Amino acid sequence: MLDWTDKHCRYFHRLLTQKTRLYTEMVTTGALLHGDQPRHLDFNPEEHPVALQLGGSEPADLAACAKLAQQWGYDEVNLNCGCPSERVQRGAFGACLMAEPTLVADGVKAMRDAVSIPVTVKHRIGIDKIESYEFVRDFVGQIAEAGCEVFIVHARNAWLQGLSPKENREIPPLRYELVHQLKRDFPQLTIVLNGGVKTDDEIAEQLQHVDGVMVGRQAYHEPWQMVDWDHRFFGTPNPAHSREQVESVWLDYLERHVAAGAYHHWTQAMRHALGLWNGQAGSRRWRQIWSDHQYKALPPRAVAELANQSRQGIAAHVAEHQAQTLAQRESQTSDHAG
């Protein structure tokens, strides 16, 4: 997700799940070939398995960037054919590429010829008012002939005109049945469903029909949801046992980030972890302290101490109130019984 899933975000998420595959934010081929490569490609070793997502359409440029992905140690290179933003369209890539399957196939083939790591494609089920299943079926079929074996399918159309990227995630209806049909028609391919899936039970339900599920904003805003994924979906022990444990390791990471003299302040990394205590008493105050500009000059652990003191104080007050309420109810029940 652009401007969201940077290396700090991915490191934080890796504290919660070690088996789930992580994806970078979309990076354009132009940014990689003519910009600051270390800034775009650097990642933490703990992030594996991690995929580099590319935005581009020129086969030679895609091949060159795929080589960079392999050289830097990525486990996969993914071509984005699903982003509907006007900025992306002006670059002639993203969702508008679904109208040019031959060009996408050429790009996939060029990347596959250049690298040994998997080359995958993320796309929508259609563009604009094209809602026939045959459109996405033929798109997948042609790209598969070029050697792509993994398709991540956002189960909505992309409206290239008239809707913002946010509206494109909400207004076009979800049509999971088309993604399920793709798996039935292409059983040899790996079909991953994306779009609108929020709860673990919903993930489990979709896994009855497809090979995988991609979760984006839900995982970002409610990160603790990922804590049971390794056990439930991969059959391995969960890496995190408590929010306190995760926060402690995360603080170690922030301190290393500061000590390394990185060009970003620790707040640039911390913004990705603000959902850690969501749903718990005092979480709002915890977030407020971490986001307060007056504390930016403090080291991360000093801010953490302030934030947790406030959070724990509120949590204790809530627990005391709940205990008093329960005691009153029990007393009233006892008096009534007498």
Side-chain angles (χ1 to χ4, degrees), residues 168-179:
N168 255 298
R169 296 191 300 270
E170 299 170 351
I171 294 178
L174 286 162
R175 302 172 69 195
Y176 293 145
E177 68 276 8
L178 269 65
V179 187

Side-chain angles (χ1 to χ4, degrees), residues 16-239:
L16 301 165
T17 171
Q18 294 183 350
K19 295 296 184 179
T20 304
R21 183 168 295 252
L22 302 178
Y23 286 76
T24 70
E25 54 191 331
M26 184 179 66
V27 184
T28 67
T29 54
L32 286 183
L33 297 177
H34 309 294
D36 186 344
Q37 290 182 3
R39 176 174 175 267
H40 292 298
L41 293 175
D42 187 34
F43 66 94
N44 302 286
E46 294 86 353
E47 294 176 40
H48 289 293
V50 59
L52 174 67
Q53 185 176 95
L54 292 177
S57 59
E58 172 56 45
D61 291 347
L62 289 169
C65 290
K67 286 182 180 179
L68 288 172
Q70 181 164 284
Q71 290 167 5
W72 279 76
Y74 283 90
D75 302 291
E76 170 189 329
V77 59
N78 174 261
L79 177 61
N80 186 304
C81 297
C83 182
S85 77
E86 291 185 4
R87 181 175 63 172
V88 167
Q89 290 181 54
R90 287 195 297 270
F93 54 92
C96 62
L97 283 177
M98 290 196 70
E100 300 186 65
T102 299
L103 179 60
V104 176
D106 289 344
V108 166
K109 185 178 186 305
M111 288 190 285
R112 281 181 48 84
D113 288 345
V115 299
S116 59
I117 60 175
V119 175
T120 67
V121 172
K122 185 177 188 294
H123 60 93
R124 297 279 185 134
I125 57 172
I127 51 177
D128 296 324
K129 299 299 183 180
I130 302 174
E131 297 184 347
S132 69
Y133 169 70
E134 289 73 20
F135 176 80
V136 67
R137 180 201 63 193
D138 293 348
F139 176 84
V140 169
Q142 187 166 349
I143 309 310
E145 289 179 359
C148 183
E149 298 178 350
V150 179
F151 293 82
I152 302 167
V153 190
H154 188 153
R156 302 181 195 268
N157 270 37
W159 293 5
L160 302 180
Q161 302 293 330
L163 293 183
S164 68
K166 181 178 185 298
E167 290 170 332
N168 255 298
R169 296 191 300 270
E170 299 170 351
I171 294 178
L174 286 162
R175 302 172 69 195
Y176 293 145
E177 68 276 8
L178 269 65
V179 187
H180 300 166
Q181 186 63 47
L182 283 174
K183 181 57 188 177
R184 290 192 291 270
D185 287 348
F186 299 97
Q188 76 281 14
L189 300 178
T190 297
I191 303 295
V192 178
L193 182 142
N194 173 233
V197 178
K198 293 185 176 181
T199 69
D200 288 2
D201 287 344
E202 289 173 350
I203 294 172
E205 166 61 25
Q206 291 301 328
L207 289 176
Q208 300 300 310
H209 307 281
V210 294
D211 302 297
V213 175
M214 174 181 277
V215 183
R217 283 162 177 79
Q218 174 69 19
Y220 186 92
H221 291 304
E222 300 295 337
W224 192 249
Q225 180 180 339
M226 293 183 276
V227 75
D228 193 43
W229 285 2
D230 286 10
H231 173 70
R232 180 166 184 176
F233 300 120
F234 296 94
T236 60
N238 294 323

